[in-house]
Amino acid sequence: MSNVTLDAAEEIIAAAHKRAQAIGKAVSVAVVDSGGFVVAVHRADGARPLTPDIARAKAYTAAVMQRPGRMLKKWQESQPVFFSQLSQLPGAALPILATEGSVTIKKDGQIIGGLGIAGGTADEDQVIADEVLQSLGYELEFAAWGVAGTPASAGSGKD
């Protein structure tokens, strides 16, 4: 599996800051690799102090959960206890945030990282992330979670 490169991360970050500036927002932008490890984080002048940490958590969520944060919202709403415990797992480096501005970076059908934007409204963060990734040729389509399947023990007759 390949990962987002530093050059690609810097290109994404520069484009995100340019897009945010165009709508009058000072944001922080984080890019992580497919394992959730930080490749680059930049905080724009004027962005609030907590935005780099929020952006990192959003990027981490998108990478390790392998879906954009907004796709995880219904899962979080339907199983809040389970979902809240994900951040408590020994291997969890950051909180899992099911929210806008958390977008999985996907190229040629492979998940190569995560992008987190923080500093605008939820909708602004999402629009910036989606527009930037789309403009740079990344994929924004993901299969839905929770597709019904056949239980492993169904029809085995060994119960």
Side-chain angles (χ1 to χ4, degrees):
M1 175 181 283
S2 62
N3 282 303
V4 65
T5 64
L6 178 58
D7 287 343
E10 289 177 343
E11 180 182 40
I12 291 166
I13 288 170
H17 281 302
K18 183 176 180 180
R19 179 66 181 104
Q21 200 172 39
I23 62 170
K25 296 294 175 174
V27 300
S28 288
V29 183
V31 175
V32 301
D33 67 18
S34 62
F37 296 98
V38 172
V39 176
V41 179
H42 290 214
R43 178 178 164 251
D45 292 341
R48 293 183 308 276
L50 279 178
T51 58
D53 291 331
I54 296 167
R56 281 181 38 234
K58 287 180 175 186
Y60 174 80
T61 298
V64 301
M65 298 301 289
Q66 299 186 341
R67 295 293 183 278
R70 70 177 171 190
M71 282 186 78
L72 303 173
K73 284 178 132 182
K74 287 186 181 179
W75 180 18
Q76 181 185 35
E77 292 166 1
S78 69
Q79 297 182 17
V81 174
F82 170 76
F83 203 89
S84 70
Q85 293 305 305
L86 291 175
S87 298
Q88 304 305 314
L89 292 172
L94 292 167
I96 302 294
L97 299 178
T99 190
E100 286 80 2
S102 166
V103 181
T104 308
I105 303 172
K106 184 176 169 186
K107 186 85 165 181
D108 299 325
Q110 284 194 2
I111 293 169
I112 61 171
L115 168 63
I117 310 280
T121 65
D123 289 338
E124 289 167 339
D125 290 350
Q126 186 67 44
V127 166
I128 293 166
D130 286 344
E131 287 181 1
V132 165
L133 290 180
Q134 185 171 31
S135 74
L136 295 174
Y138 294 96
E139 299 164 35
L140 296 177
E141 297 296 322
F142 296 89
W145 281 103
V147 175
T150 304
S153 63
S156 69
K158 296 183 180 180
D159 291 341

